[in-house]
Amino acid sequence: VIHKTRQDVAELFREKLKATDEDVADVPRMTALARRLLRQDFLQAEMGITGVNFAVAETGSMCLVMNEGNGRLCTTAPRIHVAMMGMERIVPTLEDLGVMLQILARSATGQKLSVYTNIITGPRRGRENGQGLESDGPDEFHVVIVDNGRSKILGSELAEILYCIRCGACLNVCPVYQQIGGHAYGSVYPGPVGAVVTPGLHGVEPWSELPHASSLCGACREVCPIRIDIPRMLLKLREQGTEAGKSPAWLKLGLRLFRLATARPGLYRLGGRLSSLGTRLIGREGWIKRLPGPLAGWTRQRDFPVFAQKSFSQRWQEERGRKKP
Amino acid sequence: MKDKREQFLSRIRGKLPHAFLPEARADHPGSFQGYSYPQMNLSPEGLVERFTQELQALSGHVYHLTDIEQVIPTILTILSRHQANQIIAWDDASLGIPWLRRGLIESGITLTPSELSPEDEARKIRLAEMDPILVGLTGAQGGLADTGSIALMSGPGRGRLVSLLPPVHIALLPQSKLYPSLPAFLAAHPNATDASSNLVFITGPSRSGDIEMTLSIGVHGPGEVHVIVIPQ
């Protein structure tokens, strides 16, 4: 609910949970209401389904990291625990897990360690090990390891993204994410990492626009504790999108014309002069409110500046001429 | 099932050699060799001090006992603040103080274990019984100085719900079990996952910032964590 205001949440609680005004007076009271109602569900449930932050190959352990404690309830109260994990969640040893845990909370929320770092190795142990039955915990434990496109990523130039530990640091610094929010990415993985993972898992063609949701400022690479080179992969995906013929015809035509003109100085100067003249003709006080024809979209939400009377190269030549002894 | 698993694994084996992974080899996914933990050379007193600072910063409570006899009065003070006379607790061996249970019972406190049946209905009944209990009393297999965490290992007589279900959690931590950090604890307990099906590091009270990033304490787990550091 982090994208909703407290008023939105209060309204939702009133509508769906028949909460009173007093129940939703402030955030702690709303949280207390959620605790009270969800507690009954946790205690009545016969199966708990969770994700996994890390799994340890050496010991067969699953590590779940959380602050609220819901993940501990899911893995303790119900008789059956089912853990679902992407196949890239596995680290080799317990020592490696120690490294990852040092990194995860610091990069995610700035905590030194999340409130609950829960390491689970199988269901509760029975009498067969010579001791008594463990007091509580699930009697059945199932792990579902999911590929769902990950092996496709593994074989590609995007493999590096599988190192991601889902800390979310890249989301917090991304200027695009800050403006558009998580839902705009259209998949469970938002932000810069999502712009790589989603096309990687589900194909570039349906998601060819997603890698363009970036200014390539590199803040994500800078802040990533694993140093995953996200901008490199965004560029790679843009290239693949273009090769798959996913760029619109007008863009291709425009770029072809641009190449034609910029490679010929005479043509470039002529184009510049014509644009300057054209914009001054339709502009008022230095700004154009509406561009004509196919360019109209550009001015739908902003004005377009009139080109300067003299181009940079004209002024450059004049200045140089003046300075010469 | 077996075929599917083989397919799954061979798909990975087939892709790994082509993967663009800076540190990996075809037979190994890459590891963190060369990473070293910041070493903390703290005296036993230094460890307690750091642990206390860290846990208090997270609004946890820490008590230093100079005399083990103080443990019962300390627990009773916390219980009386909540008007609690019924608690769920680990068994005597796991709490590590043989006379503790008798002392508490003599003070009018009822102690029950967290015991769940493998059968659904009986299980739900016991969970409903435990739900209103306000305080849980556990031992601790370790403390982490640099994060203010306690390590709890589940087992017979050491229920997980004791540190989770009640709104108040009291843990007894022998001073000798303080470690500088989580990696140091794991290094000292290489068999922790063989010894216990659930090892949990608890770092302060349950918290959430899900609504407008406003901090709420005591979301699904305890809102109060009291750690009583027991002298050697």
Side-chain angles (χ1 to χ4, degrees), chain A residues 103-121:
Chain A
I103 293 170
L104 180 60
R106 283 171 165 90
S107 293
T109 52
Q111 292 166 283
K112 287 180 183 163
L113 208 57
S114 301
V115 176
Y116 301 111
T117 299
N118 201 20
I119 301 171
I120 295 166
T121 314

Side-chain angles (χ1 to χ4, degrees), chain A residues 1-76:
Chain A
V1 291
I2 50 176
H3 61 290
K4 292 194 184 292
T5 65
R6 82 179 61 188
Q7 288 78 14
D8 289 343
V9 179
E11 198 40 54
L12 196 68
F13 278 16
R14 271 198 213 99
E15 191 191 313
K16 301 273 178 195
L17 306 175
K18 308 271 172 276
T20 64
D21 287 349
E22 202 178 319
D23 287 336
V24 296
D26 56 27
V27 172
R29 265 181 271 198
M30 284 192 264
T31 311
L33 176 70
R35 173 189 168 109
R36 213 161 54 236
L37 294 174
L38 288 172
R39 176 58 69 95
Q40 293 319 309
D41 292 336
F42 279 122
L43 300 190
Q44 290 297 307
E46 287 163 15
M47 178 193 283
I49 303 179
T50 68
V52 171
N53 290 89
F54 300 107
V56 183
E58 169 189 68
T59 62
S61 307
M62 309 281 145
C63 181
L64 279 73
V65 171
M66 79 219 81
N67 282 321
E68 284 93 344
N70 48 338
R72 280 190 75 199
L73 276 171
C74 279
T75 60
T76 307

Side-chain angles (χ1 to χ4, degrees), chain A residues 1-7 9 13 27-28 30-32 34-35 38-40 42-46 59 61 67-70 72-73 75-80 87 90-103 106 111-125 131-139 145-148 151-163 232, chain B residues 8 11-12 15-16 18-24 28-33 35 37-38 50 54 58 114-121 123-124 127-128 130-131 144 146-147 149 152 154-167 181-183 186 189-223:
Chain A
V1 291
I2 50 176
H3 61 290
K4 292 194 184 292
T5 65
R6 82 179 61 188
Q7 288 78 14
V9 179
F13 278 16
V27 172
M30 284 192 264
T31 311
R35 173 189 168 109
L38 288 172
R39 176 58 69 95
Q40 293 319 309
F42 279 122
L43 300 190
Q44 290 297 307
E46 287 163 15
T59 62
S61 307
N67 282 321
E68 284 93 344
N70 48 338
R72 280 190 75 199
L73 276 171
T75 60
T76 307
R79 194 176 59 77
I80 307 169
M87 65 181 212
I90 306 174
V91 298
T93 67
L94 260 189
E95 198 188 337
D96 295 325
L97 176 68
V99 178
M100 290 319 213
L101 291 172
Q102 296 278 87
I103 293 170
R106 283 171 165 90
Q111 292 166 283
K112 287 180 183 163
L113 208 57
S114 301
V115 176
Y116 301 111
T117 299
N118 201 20
I119 301 171
I120 295 166
T121 314
R124 70 162 150 180
R125 312 252 166 104
Q131 302 176 335
L133 180 69
E134 231 182 278
S135 312
D136 53 19
D139 290 282
I145 303 178
V146 180
D147 181 323
N148 191 27
S151 58
K152 212 164 57 196
I153 295 182
L154 186 62
S156 78
E157 288 175 85
L158 309 179
E160 208 185 336
I161 204 70
L162 297 174
Y163 282 149
R232 174 186 69 79
Chain B
F8 189 99
R11 204 158 55 223
I12 297 174
K15 301 279 185 177
L16 207 50
H18 311 293
F20 187 83
L21 294 170
E23 301 284 323
H28 196 275
S31 194
F32 313 104
Q33 271 124 33
Y35 180 95
Y37 300 112
R50 178 73 190 271
E54 295 291 338
L58 299 168
S114 163
E115 263 174 358
L116 293 185
S117 162
E119 192 270 313
D120 271 325
E121 286 318 306
R123 194 177 178 103
K124 285 181 206 173
L127 282 166
M130 287 197 290
D131 188 28
L144 313 178
D146 73 335
T147 54
S149 315
L152 271 59
S154 74
R158 298 192 301 273
R160 311 165 197 209
L161 291 170
V162 183
S163 62
L164 180 64
L165 222 43
S181 65
L182 186 144
L186 288 179
H189 296 80
N191 299 319
T193 56
D194 295 333
S196 172
S197 63
N198 182 213
L199 162 64
V200 62
F201 298 98
I202 300 176
T203 312
S206 154
R207 55 160 67 205
S208 175
D210 273 359
I211 303 178
E212 285 192 351
M213 313 273 241
T214 306
L215 180 66
S216 296
I217 296 282
V219 187
H220 293 296

Side-chain angles (χ1 to χ4, degrees), chain A:
Chain A
V1 291
I2 50 176
H3 61 290
K4 292 194 184 292
T5 65
R6 82 179 61 188
Q7 288 78 14
D8 289 343
V9 179
E11 198 40 54
L12 196 68
F13 278 16
R14 271 198 213 99
E15 191 191 313
K16 301 273 178 195
L17 306 175
K18 308 271 172 276
T20 64
D21 287 349
E22 202 178 319
D23 287 336
V24 296
D26 56 27
V27 172
R29 265 181 271 198
M30 284 192 264
T31 311
L33 176 70
R35 173 189 168 109
R36 213 161 54 236
L37 294 174
L38 288 172
R39 176 58 69 95
Q40 293 319 309
D41 292 336
F42 279 122
L43 300 190
Q44 290 297 307
E46 287 163 15
M47 178 193 283
I49 303 179
T50 68
V52 171
N53 290 89
F54 300 107
V56 183
E58 169 189 68
T59 62
S61 307
M62 309 281 145
C63 181
L64 279 73
V65 171
M66 79 219 81
N67 282 321
E68 284 93 344
N70 48 338
R72 280 190 75 199
L73 276 171
C74 279
T75 60
T76 307
R79 194 176 59 77
I80 307 169
H81 172 204
V82 179
M84 307 249 292
M85 58 176 248
M87 65 181 212
E88 82 284 21
R89 303 282 94 202
I90 306 174
V91 298
T93 67
L94 260 189
E95 198 188 337
D96 295 325
L97 176 68
V99 178
M100 290 319 213
L101 291 172
Q102 296 278 87
I103 293 170
L104 180 60
R106 283 171 165 90
S107 293
T109 52
Q111 292 166 283
K112 287 180 183 163
L113 208 57
S114 301
V115 176
Y116 301 111
T117 299
N118 201 20
I119 301 171
I120 295 166
T121 314
R124 70 162 150 180
R125 312 252 166 104
R127 294 183 177 83
E128 71 272 14
N129 63 6
Q131 302 176 335
L133 180 69
E134 231 182 278
S135 312
D136 53 19
D139 290 282
E140 279 182 36
F141 176 55
H142 304 265
V143 185
V144 182
I145 303 178
V146 180
D147 181 323
N148 191 27
R150 287 167 177 79
S151 58
K152 212 164 57 196
I153 295 182
L154 186 62
S156 78
E157 288 175 85
L158 309 179
E160 208 185 336
I161 204 70
L162 297 174
Y163 282 149
C164 171
I165 58 169
R166 309 273 187 268
C167 68
C170 59
L171 278 61
N172 294 333
V173 296
C174 177
V176 175
Y177 176 83
Q178 279 164 14
Q179 291 304 317
I180 66 177
H183 285 299
Y185 288 83
S187 118
V188 288
Y189 304 113
V193 62
V196 177
V197 169
T198 309
L201 289 178
H202 308 300
V204 180
E205 301 219 358
W207 295 95
S208 64
E209 287 183 351
L210 212 46
H212 293 271
S214 164
S215 64
L216 298 177
C217 68
C220 48
R221 179 176 52 200
E222 198 77 14
V223 77
C224 176
I226 320 285
R227 300 281 178 268
I228 297 172
D229 194 348
I230 293 175
R232 174 186 69 79
M233 292 184 279
L234 289 173
L235 282 172
K236 191 78 215 166
L237 283 164
R238 289 182 186 189
E239 182 191 318
Q240 287 172 2
T242 308
E243 275 168 5
K246 276 288 157 181
S247 46
W250 60 265
L251 185 65
K252 278 192 217 160
L253 182 68
L255 286 173
R256 201 168 294 156
L257 287 174
F258 184 75
R259 192 174 60 191
L260 194 78
T262 44
R264 293 168 181 77
L267 205 53
Y268 182 79
R269 273 197 293 274
L270 180 68
R273 247 172 249 151
L274 285 177
S275 320
S276 169
L277 187 68
T279 56
R280 272 182 290 133
L281 276 177
I282 57 170
R284 293 276 171 277
E285 291 166 7
W287 294 96
I288 300 165
K289 294 250 181 260
R290 192 175 299 158
L291 283 168
L295 302 172
W298 213 93
T299 46
R300 203 172 294 147
Q301 293 176 38
R302 59 198 153 175
D303 294 344
F304 190 83
V306 166
F307 282 23
Q309 210 156 356
K310 282 181 189 167
S311 72
F312 174 81
S313 47
Q314 274 175 315
R315 290 188 59 196
W316 176 259
Q317 258 155 16
E318 284 175 19
E319 293 285 320
R320 280 218 312 192
R322 204 173 294 161
K323 282 217 177 116
K324 265 183 188 153

